[in-house]
Amino acid sequence: MNGPEPSVDASDQFRAKRVDDAFSDYVRRRRSGEQIGVREFAAANADLMPELGIRLRHLVTSLKKTVSTQSDAGTVSAPARDKAGNGEKDSLTSAIRSAYSEDRKHPDRIGHYKIIRPIAQGGMGIVFLAEQESPVRRKVALKLIRGGLNSREIIARFEIERQALAMMDHPAIAKVLDAGQTEAGDPYFVMEFVDGERITSYLDSRHADVRQRLEVFIKVCNAVQHAHQKGIIHRDIKPSNVMVSSRDGKPSPIVIDFGLAKALNQRLTDESISTATGQVVGTPEYMSPEQIGGQFTDTRTDVYALGLLLYELLTGVLPYDRELVRRSTLSQAQRTICEVEAPKPSQRLSGLGHKASEAATNRGTNVKLLSKQVRGDLDWIAMKALEKTPSRRYATAAALCEDVIHFLKYEPVLAGPPGTSYRFKKFVRRNRAGVTAAGLIAAVLIVGGMVVSAAVSKAARNERARLSESSEKLAAY
């Protein structure tokens, strides 16, 4: 891999990011009702000890205190209620809030907003579900810097996210509604609350087919293109940062969390801040080669991430083992992402075994038909977006989007081979009715021509026979 070796600080940041992601994953799975034990989860992430263990122990301690308090107050009538139903969710929510606070209690209200519960945690901030009480009453998402993370650089990054969101106006990007500071001086900003699911969960639970998934993906591409036109690179596009809800009976995606956003040609804050060469920022398994290598990033970095998202929407998995990258050291993850060639989506499906059946079921079909749908054009589109060299990828998110639209319209895709045979097959598929009619007309003309030709040939033979007979009579005379 070309370029300078990442610094020790980069390795530390990479590990801290993995610990954050693992803890968030545990919280998400518990909140969704999955009965996963702390010891079991810790054993599966042994390489992240002791940091992850400390976070998990804090969570367990907070949960026990919450359950005990609720029981004493009469809000939890029996242990069974805490293990199933709202008791578990309420207790877990309170415990998570305590664990997220990292020994620092957050106020029950901030400005006009009443804090309801935490809903997400990022590397530098906590997102709460809150209720705005004036001048209008509505639910919102309030993002606050985590306790103790009020360094100059963190505050600058927080301000960059706030300004980046404020610059954009797109139906598929979360809107900033308000901003301010707490009484303690910590900055926060308020966004519209997206009551949805991550894009993969939403589509899987509804058994969305390939076409439906691509239609949602197009909306995501359009949102990312809008950000690029505003001079903003997201740098952390992944399923958990694309939330989908139903509006008028149709899936409506919203791109969230611009916490790692980078401005291309402008400054979004008075503070001077930049990502130094060798510094790694992002989610490891969704990073592009240049991103995980600490190299220069531009809009094509987001195109790569969109390629990974497309790959996962088609197959249910990433091109490589997700857990392997998560548990890898920085250098190991770099080798996987920068050097190992990704298989085509259709090839990846063929090697999934029983997981392929699950992926097909989630897409409302069977493995054979799913492989057939993905093979060819969609293989080419995904692989062009996932080129390891940025200059070989789609130049923009819009170009990737256009190729997906070409596919849906049965038109030739730019990522496909430009052979005459390929283009002719696309023309036939796109104009099936017209081609069929033209074929019938041609067949009629051919058959008609053959009939006329046969009649003419017969007449000619008859004429020759008559002339021959006449010549013989004349000769005899």
Side-chain angles (χ1 to χ4, degrees):
M1 181 182 60
N2 297 326
E5 287 294 321
S7 64
V8 175
D9 287 343
S11 296
D12 290 343
Q13 292 168 354
F14 183 81
R15 181 177 178 82
K17 176 65 175 174
R18 291 177 59 214
V19 171
D20 266 350
D21 287 345
F23 182 73
S24 297
D25 182 55
Y26 179 79
V27 169
R28 176 185 60 79
R29 293 166 67 178
R30 282 293 302 271
R31 182 178 282 137
S32 67
E34 184 176 346
Q35 296 299 315
I36 178 171
V38 171
R39 291 183 181 178
E40 175 189 352
F41 189 79
N45 294 274
D47 60 314
L48 297 180
M49 299 299 153
E51 299 97 316
L52 180 59
I54 293 172
R55 300 281 292 278
L56 292 172
R57 282 197 297 273
H58 193 157
L59 177 63
V60 171
T61 301
S62 300
L63 180 57
K64 289 180 178 178
K65 289 180 179 179
T66 302
V67 173
S68 176
T69 301
Q70 290 179 343
S71 298
D72 292 342
T75 57
V76 180
S77 59
R81 183 170 180 262
D82 184 63
K83 292 181 180 179
N86 292 332
E88 162 69 14
K89 291 182 179 180
D90 293 343
S91 300
L92 184 60
T93 294
S94 299
I96 292 168
R97 181 174 180 177
S98 176
Y100 279 172
S101 69
E102 296 179 300
D103 296 322
R104 173 188 171 205
K105 288 187 177 181
H106 294 294
D108 291 330
R109 61 189 313 111
I110 298 175
H112 298 299
Y113 307 97
K114 178 183 179 181
I115 302 301
I116 299 175
R117 60 180 171 86
I119 53 178
Q121 177 192 30
M124 62 182 179
I126 307 172
V127 182
F128 294 97
L129 173 62
E131 184 178 21
Q132 181 178 354
E133 297 180 323
S134 64
V136 296
R137 186 176 292 275
R138 59 182 170 181
K139 288 185 178 180
V140 297
L142 187 149
K143 187 167 187 176
L144 178 70
I145 281 186
R146 288 168 55 192
L149 297 182
N150 53 358
S151 68
R152 181 177 176 180
E153 180 178 353
I154 291 296
I155 291 176
R157 283 207 176 277
F158 197 81
E159 179 64 16
I160 286 174
E161 179 180 11
R162 185 165 69 178
Q163 292 299 329
L165 286 170
M167 288 174 58
M168 293 180 282
D169 182 17
H170 192 277
I173 295 178
K175 293 179 176 59
V176 169
L177 305 175
D178 192 11
Q181 289 186 336
T182 65
E183 293 180 358
D186 294 329
Y188 70 87
F189 62 89
V190 181
M191 304 167 284
E192 63 176 320
F193 172 59
V194 182
D195 188 12
E197 306 171 56
R198 63 170 61 193
I199 185 171
T200 46
S201 299
Y202 179 96
L203 295 173
D204 284 354
S205 65
R206 289 159 178 79
H207 302 291
D209 60 27
V210 169
R211 172 172 285 272
Q212 292 168 330
R213 289 166 184 265
L214 294 178
E215 289 171 348
V216 176
F217 179 73
I218 286 171
K219 295 178 182 179
V220 177
C221 288
N222 286 332
V224 175
Q225 179 65 23
H226 175 79
H228 291 174
Q229 289 173 333
K230 295 293 185 179
I232 304 296
I233 311 172
H234 190 285
R235 296 201 296 181
D236 200 22
I237 297 170
K238 55 186 178 181
S240 59
N241 281 341
V242 181
M243 305 300 289
V244 182
S245 58
S246 295
R247 293 185 181 179
D248 299 324
K250 296 181 179 180
S252 177
I254 299 287
V255 179
I256 63 172
D257 198 349
F258 281 74
L260 298 180
K262 171 185 173 182
L264 289 172
N265 303 309
Q266 58 192 310
R267 291 180 61 177
L268 299 181
T269 174
D270 292 335
E271 294 290 341
S272 177
I273 180 172
S274 62
T275 303
T277 301
Q279 184 178 6
V280 178
V281 294
T283 303
E285 60 268 32
Y286 290 96
M287 287 185 188
S288 66
E290 66 273 16
Q291 189 175 7
I292 200 168
Q295 304 301 307
F296 175 79
T297 56
D298 58 20
T299 56
R300 294 168 298 183
T301 298
D302 281 351
V303 169
Y304 184 94
L306 286 170
L308 287 174
L309 179 60
L310 173 62
Y311 199 107
E312 193 165 355
L313 290 178
L314 295 174
T315 66
V317 295
L318 293 173
Y320 34 75
D321 189 324
R322 184 194 311 269
E323 293 303 320
L324 179 64
V325 175
R326 280 182 177 176
R327 298 174 187 175
S328 298
T329 62
L330 177 57
S331 60
Q332 289 171 336
Q334 286 174 333
R335 282 195 293 273
T336 298
I337 293 172
C338 300
E339 299 174 12
V340 178
E341 289 298 326
K344 295 177 182 177
S346 60
Q347 293 174 335
R348 187 81 165 98
L349 276 171
S350 65
L352 286 180
H354 71 277
K355 288 186 178 180
S357 297
E358 180 182 348
T361 299
N362 288 337
R363 286 150 186 79
T365 186
N366 57 56
V367 176
K368 184 177 180 179
L369 287 178
L370 178 60
S371 298
K372 183 178 179 180
Q373 287 177 310
V374 172
R375 189 179 301 112
D377 286 0
L378 292 178
D379 273 341
W380 296 327
I381 292 173
M383 298 312 291
K384 183 172 179 63
L386 293 176
E387 285 282 1
K388 296 190 182 300
T389 304
S391 61
R392 293 180 60 84
R393 295 173 203 151
Y394 291 100
T396 63
L400 169 57
C401 179
E402 287 171 6
D403 234 6
V404 174
I405 293 173
H406 286 319
F407 170 81
L408 292 177
K409 291 184 175 180
Y410 307 113
E411 298 172 349
V413 300
L414 299 178
T420 302
S421 174
Y422 167 77
R423 293 186 179 278
F424 179 73
K425 285 190 293 185
K426 283 294 176 182
F427 176 81
V428 171
R429 181 71 185 273
R430 189 169 66 251
N431 302 281
R432 190 184 300 276
V435 171
T436 300
L440 289 173
I441 293 172
V444 169
L445 291 175
I446 291 172
V447 171
M450 291 173 64
V451 171
V452 171
S453 178
V456 170
S457 296
K458 183 178 180 180
R461 286 196 302 271
N462 291 339
E463 181 63 17
R464 285 196 298 270
R466 188 184 65 78
L467 292 173
S468 177
E469 183 180 354
S470 297
S471 296
E472 289 176 357
K473 288 180 179 180
L474 286 171
Y477 180 77

